[in-house]
Amino acid sequence: MPEVNTDHLDEQQVQLLAEMCILIDENDNKIGADTKKNCHLNENIDKGLLHRAFSVFLFNTENKLLLQQRSNAKITFPDCFTNTCCSHPLSHPLELEENNAIGVRRAAQRRLKAELGIPMEQVTPEEISYLTRIHYKAKSDGIWGEHEIDYILFVRKDVTLNPDPNEIQSYCYVTQKELKQLLEKASKNEVKITPWFKLIAETFLFKWWDNLPNLNKFVDHEKIHRM
């Protein structure tokens, strides 16, 4: 594996690079585990290294979507606006369990607490709905990038927020109109958004948003959307 100097990077974020992600093939079958660091190096991604991930879209009871702006300490896509929470299940028995994506949903509960400070009891895995999966690849800079099969998770609940500033520099709830304005600003390079959020917003998000009380018709656990 390539050696990359991380001395100039944020200490807390560098510690997280030791976490063990779940390696998968293109059909989302587990084939092993590797560090978050190795999974996010473009040099490895270019050789096909692929890992499992998730993206949470949390709506309040007014049907507004919670967005976050990633902190400038983040190693990939710093300062970018994105959906509520994006991370990885770890190669750990509780998060490897695949039945109805329960392992991924447990990981989402863990990261909602770690990033946004949402108490674990406020969003249980049972309250997190798994819609479908998206396979995408994106470079953050010359060294770091993403190559993931991303589980799309929806939550509709009012929650308590206490974000970790090392993870998140700002957050806001937005209406559909406000999100469209943000996407318009991003298209003019006035703000930055993450590539996965851009892909999801341009293809599926508004259709799902219009049907929050009736998401069952969009549940597809067979297909992996290649973006």
Side-chain angles (χ1 to χ4, degrees), residues 159-194:
V159 294
T160 308
L161 299 171
N162 182 24
D164 177 354
N166 189 260
E167 294 283 341
I168 294 173
Q169 61 175 293
S170 70
Y171 65 92
C172 57
Y173 283 96
V174 294
T175 62
Q176 289 197 24
K177 182 181 177 183
E178 288 164 340
L179 178 55
K180 286 172 182 170
Q181 289 168 344
L182 182 73
L183 295 170
E184 178 68 21
K185 282 185 176 179
S187 73
K188 298 174 183 170
N189 295 318
E190 292 172 14
V191 296
K192 295 192 292 182
I193 59 173
T194 61

Side-chain angles (χ1 to χ4, degrees), residues 20 45 86 91 93 188 200 218-219:
M20 295 300 288
I45 291 168
C86 327
S91 186
K188 298 174 183 170
I200 294 165
F218 298 108
V219 170

Side-chain angles (χ1 to χ4, degrees), residues 127-153:
E127 293 172 299
I128 299 171
S129 301
Y130 160 41
L131 257 65
T132 190
R133 290 169 293 176
I134 284 166
H135 179 186
Y136 78 94
K137 181 164 32 174
K139 287 190 174 177
S140 178
D141 58 24
I143 297 170
W144 304 98
E146 292 283 5
H147 188 209
E148 304 179 328
I149 289 181
D150 194 17
Y151 283 64
I152 306 303
L153 307 175

Side-chain angles (χ1 to χ4, degrees), residues 45-64:
I45 291 168
D46 289 342
K47 295 172 187 166
L49 202 66
L50 175 65
H51 63 280
R52 189 174 285 165
F54 62 82
S55 285
V56 178
F57 292 77
L58 184 146
F59 298 82
N60 65 14
T61 52
E62 296 178 353
N63 291 343
K64 291 182 177 179

Side-chain angles (χ1 to χ4, degrees), residues 4 17-18 33 70 72 76 109 120 128 132 142 144 147-148 164:
V4 172
L17 290 177
R70 292 161 69 86
N72 59 13
T76 57
Q109 179 194 36
M120 300 278 274
I128 299 171
T132 190
W144 304 98
H147 188 209
E148 304 179 328
D164 177 354

